[in-house]
Amino acid sequence: MLRPTVEGIALKAWSRAAQLPQSSIADGKVEVPSLCGRHFIRYPIALLEEAMRGRFYTFALACECHAYLIQTTGDSVRFKAAGDWEEISVMYEDLPGEEFLFRDQIGPFVCKKLPSA
Ligand SMILES: [Zn+2]
């Protein structure tokens, strides 16, 4: 339970990130509604399979509106940050972890494996 120490400031869930509709599988990719609510981002189904085995990854993707730093979780993804592509690229580069290349029918997909806790 977090409480702000500054009066007049309230903490709440980042509702745009917390109230997204469910992701789905399409053409061998996992399709997730983007934070803008108008587009989708897609990532290889192999990353979902990895997440179900307890191996999580971070990657950068963009819709037509924003770039996002995204992290796989148990059965979904979490949007960690949104911004322009340059900002998100810098955040991605600064993350620790080994970089992996997944290949699927659409092409190579670069991501970083999160160091296991
Ligand atoms: Zn968008």
Side-chain angles (χ1 to χ4, degrees), residues 62-75:
C63 70
E64 289 160 47
C65 316
H66 301 288
Y68 306 102
L69 189 66
I70 298 168
Q71 183 180 312
T72 55
T73 62
D75 59 354

Side-chain angles (χ1 to χ4, degrees), residues 17 20-26 29-43 48 59 61 63 68 70-72 75-79:
L20 287 173
Q22 282 286 68
S23 57
S24 59
I25 310 272
K29 293 235 170 198
V30 184
E31 195 172 74
V32 183
S34 191
L35 290 189
C36 66
R38 289 178 297 178
H39 302 111
F40 290 87
I41 55 103
R42 293 168 186 84
Y43 66 95
L48 180 63
F59 48 89
L61 281 177
C63 70
Y68 306 102
I70 298 168
Q71 183 180 312
T72 55
D75 59 354
S76 171
V77 291
R78 196 162 288 159
F79 286 79

Side-chain angles (χ1 to χ4, degrees), residues 44-94:
I45 203 164
L47 290 186
L48 180 63
E49 292 164 355
E50 284 282 286
M52 287 171 171
R53 295 186 185 102
R55 296 190 288 264
F56 304 109
Y57 295 82
T58 298
F59 48 89
L61 281 177
C63 70
E64 289 160 47
C65 316
H66 301 288
Y68 306 102
L69 189 66
I70 298 168
Q71 183 180 312
T72 55
T73 62
D75 59 354
S76 171
V77 291
R78 196 162 288 159
F79 286 79
K80 303 296 283 185
D84 66 36
W85 187 252
E86 201 170 306
E87 293 167 336
I88 296 298
S89 298
V90 169
M91 284 183 207
Y92 175 80
E93 292 300 325
D94 286 347

